[in-house]
Amino acid sequence: MSLWEYANPVKFLNLSGRVLPWVALLSAICLVVGLIWGFFFTPDDYRMGSTVKIIYIHVPAALMAINAWFMMLVASLIWLIRRHHVSALAAKAAAPVGLVMTLIALITGAIWGQPMWGTWWAWDPRLTSFLILFQFYIGYLALWKAIENPDSAADLTSILCIVGSVFAVLSRYAVNFWNQGLHQGASLSLDKEKNVANEFYHPLLFSIAGFVFLFLVLVLIGTRSEIRIRRASVIVARKIR
Amino acid sequence: MFMVLSVQDLCIARSGQVLMTDVNFELAAGQALIFKGPNGLGKTTFLRVISGLQPALSGKIHAKEDSFAYTAHADGVKPSLTVAENLQFWADIFDNQNIDTALSAFGLNDLKSRFAGLLSAGQKRRLCLARMLISNRPVWVLDEPSVSLDTASVTQLEEVIKQHLQNGGAALIVTHGHLDLGPSCKTVNLGEYKSNRAVYGDGAEAFL
Amino acid sequence: MRAVLLRDLRLAMRVGGGFGLAIMFFLIVAVLVALGVGPDVALLSDISSGILWVIALLACLLSLDRIFSLDYEDGTLDHLVIAPLPLESVVLAKATAHWLTTGLPLGLVSPLVGLMLGLPAEGYLWLVLSLALGTPALSVIGTFGAALTLGLKRGGLLLSVLILPLYVPTLIFGAEVARRGSIGIELQTPLWMLLGLSFGVVAILPFASAAVLRINLR
Amino acid sequence: MTLELGKYTSFVLSAYVITIVLLALLIIYVLWRNAKSKALLQDAELHKDA
């Protein structure tokens, strides 16, 4: 009973139905714990004062924005190679979540940077690369909406996602080169490695876990609705012939 | 009789809709098949699948590589190029240099230097059919070739196809009009292959 | 492959007004920028290389949706798919035709427009060079976008939404080469990056575009 | 530990509020789409046998 067996949409519906409530519960717990702990029970940073509390939403959102696109890339590859509908629809369901995560990362990043940089938008390379990632998400979703035939839509968006990933990485370095970072990042670097004093670190882990589970829940629900819509259209199409 | 083309239990779908199932036939050199069938059956999709433009749902098509020359409803003629330039372009693509035989076969010699945009529908159709000769490929796939052709041009077309059959070519023709191509031509009614069951493997099947 | 290229060029000359269109666009937008930003030459000359690159990019973008749509509508694309030559070479021929009618003329005309925007003297060579090296990548990426939006209703708008993020690396490196050239500082790194990017894109992207075409023609 | 955010209170609060609002909108959108798909499927299943 290989993993691919769950690529069958109907089986996937049953499995995801059982798993969904638990993941939702887990995500809720982690989010609440992470945010409450981070918001109320951590001291202010000696230099940045209370704005450090923003890391509990900015870092997880930024992480999810990047990993959402990576997940869509993997799902697109699976669709192109093994032609499993669930992975194509999962990629489609993940896109809006990734888009909102990027938006959150952008806004919280700008708010966080304001006191340090003195302006709302300071073309910091990291924030700019999220702005570009945001455009990639917009393009990806726009292509999904523009094509009627579901199968060729899945193929085309998968190819766009793969090509887009290459250019996203290129843009990431081009932006870094373009502006070596107006201001050095705060004591915390926005990328994955977190050099943070540990009393900030544990709540951060929780809120990251919370965001990851939230992402999973939303993608599972999204994929299920995509499958149902596809199933309905197939039934209708088959009936009226 | 050397088989130019053989098709085994072919299933054809168009955007998730199964149209025809278990289509089987063979085509020998020098033979022509005329396909009849009601509108909307998917005759055009059928020809596109045979000529390799579109993948079939299932089933096999045995034919030599690059042996199809396909003519669709759309003429594929560039209005801003002259007749000769249009044909010369395709001659370069199929690297066969003499476009004169094709021009004379369809009586386009005197229109050689005229812009294709100024041609009548019938003349454009003849220019499109002239491409068949240039491609010098054994199996001709013609989708409504005689549309917008006057009687003189239809006989001209019949002449060309018979000539093609004589020197070992073959042809698959979908037409509502009547084309008499002599003894070696059979008529097939595609209606009987109309699909009545879902076929496993088509994209939508997985959702049921 | 050569036949497709020659035919497309001939078509561009007769119908599309050839590269006149791109040059006109380039000129007009440069004037608009000057009118918008104001006559202060000092300011204009600072931003001139970047502005010229952005205008060149937009000029490429505008003429992208014509690459496949004409052939798609009149059925020529179907015949090209069946023709003996590989689809990748058709895509490359189309991209080259687009480059010859937009990218290259822009590069050649850019000094004239640079003059108008007060580009510093030593900037001209690098502007032309960066455009000449960068625009092939713009054309090939654009061809990929044109293939993606083939046959879609409002494809033109979608094309720019899809393509602009893909243009970012080329724009950054190209404009950087032009900017550093205009202020005369060392520009090896962006130049090599631009070269690497252009060659990589021209070599690999046509395969993706051909795959997309096959899917769209299905 | 009393909650005292100092001079950056408005920034921290606005960041949190915006995030929560955006996440809420996303969750509502996903749930709405889920309900719509359920209705669509029921409707199709219903007519399947009719």
Side-chain angles (χ1 to χ4, degrees):
Chain A
M1 198 277 292
S2 75
L3 179 66
W4 296 123
E5 198 238 333
Y6 289 106
N8 171 314
V10 181
K11 282 204 179 56
F12 176 83
L13 270 180
N14 313 341
L15 170 81
S16 54
R18 287 200 303 276
V19 162
L20 208 50
W22 299 105
V23 180
L25 193 66
L26 253 175
S27 124
I29 295 170
C30 294
L31 270 178
V32 165
V33 165
L35 293 182
I36 303 285
W37 182 356
F39 194 82
F40 292 103
F41 300 107
T42 51
D44 286 1
D45 177 70
Y46 63 91
R47 203 158 57 78
M48 287 192 301
S50 60
T51 53
V52 79
K53 293 192 189 313
I54 298 183
I55 60 169
Y56 295 113
I57 35 177
H58 180 73
V59 168
L63 261 175
M64 278 331 296
I66 295 170
N67 291 337
W69 186 271
F70 182 70
M71 171 255 170
M72 283 154 58
L73 173 65
V74 171
S76 304
L77 283 169
I78 293 174
W79 160 254
L80 283 176
I81 298 162
R82 296 192 68 115
R83 307 303 282 179
H84 284 307
H85 294 274
V86 169
S87 68
L89 295 178
K92 179 177 181 184
V97 182
L99 180 83
V100 169
M101 291 294 178
T102 321
L103 205 59
I104 294 174
L106 268 174
I107 296 173
T108 50
I111 294 175
W112 188 7
Q114 210 277 344
M116 268 192 308
W117 298 329
T119 64
W120 281 105
W121 181 258
W123 290 110
D124 168 70
R126 281 179 296 278
L127 283 187
T128 319
S129 56
F130 278 111
L131 194 60
I132 296 166
L133 186 61
F134 183 73
Q135 284 174 9
F136 276 106
Y137 276 114
I138 296 280
Y140 182 82
L141 280 168
L143 190 59
W144 260 109
K145 285 200 173 45
I147 301 171
E148 291 82 23
N149 171 348
D151 270 341
S152 56
D155 288 334
L156 294 178
T157 47
S158 303
I159 294 178
L160 175 70
C161 185
I162 293 164
V163 170
S165 309
V166 171
F167 281 93
V169 169
L170 278 175
S171 312
R172 178 77 182 83
Y173 291 107
V175 163
N176 235 352
F177 167 84
W178 165 74
N179 168 356
Q180 283 72 24
L182 191 62
H183 295 270
Q184 289 322 316
S187 63
L188 167 90
S189 107
L190 294 184
D191 287 332
K192 286 182 207 40
E193 74 287 352
K194 279 164 285 310
N195 39 30
V196 163
N198 54 23
E199 79 264 40
F200 291 109
Y201 188 60
H202 299 304
L204 189 56
L205 277 188
F206 267 94
S207 71
I208 289 176
F211 269 74
V212 169
F213 287 123
L214 178 68
F215 172 77
L216 273 178
V217 167
L218 294 177
V219 170
L220 279 179
I221 300 175
T223 316
R224 284 160 64 85
S225 7
E226 294 297 337
I227 291 174
R228 282 197 210 95
I229 291 170
R230 249 325 266 291
R231 189 177 152 83
S233 66
V234 166
I235 291 170
V236 166
R238 191 104 334 145
K239 191 173 66 58
I240 49 172
R241 182 165 48 78
Chain B
M1 274 287 234
F2 155 61
M3 276 309 144
V4 169
L5 163 72
S6 97
V7 169
Q8 275 133 22
D9 47 57
L10 193 69
C11 301
I12 292 164
R14 178 177 48 207
S15 59
Q17 186 58 263
V18 181
L19 300 171
M20 290 187 231
T21 46
D22 313 327
V23 181
N24 288 291
F25 66 90
E26 297 206 329
L27 194 61
Q31 221 189 355
L33 282 177
I34 294 188
F35 294 99
K36 298 272 185 215
N39 287 346
L41 177 67
K43 298 194 289 296
T44 302
T45 318
F46 169 69
L47 289 183
R48 284 175 69 95
V49 167
I50 299 276
S51 52
L53 268 171
Q54 228 168 299
L57 206 51
S58 63
K60 281 184 286 308
I61 302 171
H62 300 291
K64 214 156 39 54
E65 186 63 37
D66 279 347
S67 57
F68 293 104
Y70 170 72
T71 308
H73 293 292
D75 298 336
V77 159
K78 284 292 171 199
S80 57
L81 292 178
T82 66
V83 170
E85 280 165 350
N86 263 302
L87 275 184
Q88 188 52 52
F89 167 66
W90 289 109
D92 297 343
I93 294 271
F94 290 104
D95 51 54
N96 137 10
Q97 277 329 323
N98 52 22
I99 60 172
D100 303 328
T101 46
L103 282 172
S104 48
F106 282 93
L108 294 167
N109 276 334
D110 45 18
L111 301 169
K112 214 185 230 206
S113 54
R114 184 183 299 190
F115 282 110
L118 311 175
L119 298 179
S120 75
Q123 288 160 338
K124 276 193 193 135
R125 197 63 187 158
R126 283 171 24 213
L127 177 56
C128 168
L129 292 167
R131 184 200 341 256
M132 288 286 142
L133 281 172
I134 287 202
S135 70
N136 54 45
R137 287 196 164 174
V139 182
W140 286 6
V141 180
L142 306 172
D143 196 348
E144 309 278 4
S146 55
V147 89
S148 71
L149 288 185
D150 55 28
T151 44
S153 324
V154 170
T155 41
Q156 210 177 28
L157 174 64
E158 283 161 1
E159 235 13 79
V160 168
I161 296 180
K162 277 189 223 152
Q163 182 58 35
H164 175 67
L165 296 183
Q166 250 123 42
N167 40 42
L172 299 168
I173 304 162
V174 159
T175 178
H176 289 298
H178 170 67
L179 277 174
D180 82 29
L181 297 170
S184 63
C185 163
K186 291 209 300 301
T187 308
V188 171
N189 177 358
L190 280 180
E192 50 189 76
Y193 296 114
K194 192 164 174 21
S195 136
N196 35 37
R197 59 174 174 74
V199 172
Y200 188 72
D202 81 347
E205 182 60 24
F207 284 93
L208 291 181
Chain C
M1 155 101 163
R2 204 178 41 75
V4 176
L5 180 59
L6 291 177
R7 183 203 66 159
D8 273 12
L9 288 179
R10 184 178 295 148
L11 276 176
M13 294 307 151
R14 295 219 178 121
V15 169
F19 41 80
L21 210 62
I23 293 175
M24 276 307 119
F25 176 85
F26 198 49
L27 225 58
I28 294 164
V29 176
V31 167
L32 290 180
V33 164
L35 293 178
V37 167
D40 162 12
V41 178
L43 174 65
L44 272 180
S45 74
D46 291 348
I47 57 169
S48 53
S49 55
I51 293 286
L52 287 169
W53 247 91
V54 169
I55 303 173
L57 184 136
L58 292 177
C60 284
L61 192 62
L62 279 182
S63 51
L64 284 182
D65 51 13
R66 272 205 340 272
I67 292 180
F68 289 119
S69 53
L70 295 175
D71 284 350
Y72 177 72
E73 267 120 33
D74 66 23
T76 319
L77 218 49
D78 285 342
H79 298 293
L80 281 176
V81 168
I82 299 195
L85 77 165
L87 208 49
E88 284 76 9
S89 62
V90 170
V91 165
L92 208 56
K94 290 268 178 192
T96 325
H98 175 265
W99 182 60
L100 290 176
T101 49
T102 43
L104 198 57
L106 290 188
L108 302 178
V109 148
S110 56
L112 170 70
V113 183
L115 192 67
M116 204 167 62
L117 291 181
L119 186 71
E122 59 278 282
Y124 288 98
L125 167 70
W126 288 110
L127 176 67
V128 173
L129 207 61
S130 65
L131 279 176
L133 290 175
T135 42
L138 295 183
S139 293
V140 171
I141 299 171
T143 314
F144 174 70
L148 268 174
T149 55
L150 192 63
L152 295 181
K153 299 178 281 319
R154 288 188 26 260
L157 186 65
L158 180 66
L159 178 61
S160 21
V161 167
L162 292 181
I163 287 304
L164 283 180
L166 301 180
Y167 270 175
V168 161
T170 318
L171 173 65
I172 287 180
F173 289 126
E176 191 60 14
V177 167
R179 190 182 62 82
R180 290 192 184 188
S182 67
I183 45 177
I185 56 173
E186 178 270 337
L187 45 81
Q188 289 309 329
T189 28
L191 188 61
W192 287 118
M193 296 294 271
L194 183 65
L195 259 170
L197 184 66
S198 283
F199 280 119
V201 162
V202 169
I204 298 165
L205 212 52
F207 292 97
S209 312
V212 164
L213 269 186
R214 273 188 208 93
I215 292 168
N216 260 330
L217 290 173
R218 215 177 18 216
Chain D
M1 188 198 107
T2 65
L3 180 65
E4 193 269 319
L5 294 173
K7 53 185 165 62
Y8 296 126
T9 330
S10 60
F11 296 105
V12 175
L13 285 183
S14 60
Y16 271 74
V17 163
I18 291 172
T19 312
I20 289 163
V21 164
L22 282 175
L23 284 181
L25 285 176
L26 176 67
I27 292 168
I28 292 164
Y29 166 73
V30 169
L31 292 179
W32 169 76
R33 197 172 155 77
N34 189 29
K36 195 182 84 169
S37 68
K38 270 197 185 124
L40 204 68
L41 187 57
Q42 238 133 32
D43 181 46
E45 301 269 357
L46 218 60
H47 290 306
K48 185 168 84 170
D49 349 316

